[in-house]
Amino acid sequence: MTEYQTPKDRAYTEMLIKSAQKEANAFLNLKYTAERKDGVIPIKYRELMSVAVALTTQCAYCIESHINNAVEAGATREEIAETVFIAAALRAGGAVGTGLMAMRLFEEARSAKE
């Protein structure tokens, strides 16, 4: 195998959807609802939030899709850049938060060993 993820993988979209129709429909309905243009949150902000989440989940297809949607909704380069660093800070913060749990688990394991 020469590559793990490539835009050529999109050729399998229909196969994936047809192979799990009920689950795919539920997912696509949720996606459609979350990305609707008539929500209280303006579409540009929805897309910037989507970019941030896509960056933290590291979904290349999601990043591409939501960057394109954000640009279409009027997002600026500076807004994308700030979104990148906000997502990075929160991702790092998550590591610190779970690090606190790791410290507790270490102390519990050490205490159990004694």
Side-chain angles (χ1 to χ4, degrees):
M1 181 180 300
T2 59
E3 55 192 352
Y4 286 100
Q5 193 172 39
T6 170
K8 293 181 275 186
D9 294 341
R10 288 189 176 117
Y12 295 93
T13 302
E14 188 175 334
M15 178 190 299
L16 177 62
I17 291 169
K18 285 183 177 180
S19 296
Q21 195 90 48
K22 189 171 186 174
E23 292 82 357
N25 287 339
F27 169 76
L28 293 170
N29 186 52
L30 176 60
K31 182 179 180 327
Y32 172 79
T33 301
E35 294 177 357
R36 71 187 196 278
K37 294 179 176 27
D38 66 342
V40 175
I41 299 171
I43 190 66
K44 181 170 87 168
Y45 301 139
R46 285 176 179 264
E47 289 302 332
L48 290 170
M49 287 188 283
S50 296
V51 168
V53 172
L55 291 167
T56 60
T57 61
Q58 299 178 333
C59 171
Y61 303 117
C62 301
I63 294 167
E64 178 185 27
S65 173
H66 291 293
I67 288 289
N68 288 336
N69 292 348
V71 168
E72 183 67 29
T76 65
R77 176 183 293 110
E78 293 78 12
E79 288 171 323
I80 297 297
E82 285 187 18
T83 298
V84 167
F85 287 108
I86 290 167
L90 291 173
R91 177 98 177 186
V96 172
T98 53
L100 297 172
M101 180 183 69
M103 295 304 292
R104 176 180 51 81
L105 293 172
F106 172 82
E107 290 300 322
E108 290 172 1
R110 190 177 67 154
S111 294
K113 186 177 176 182
E114 294 174 350

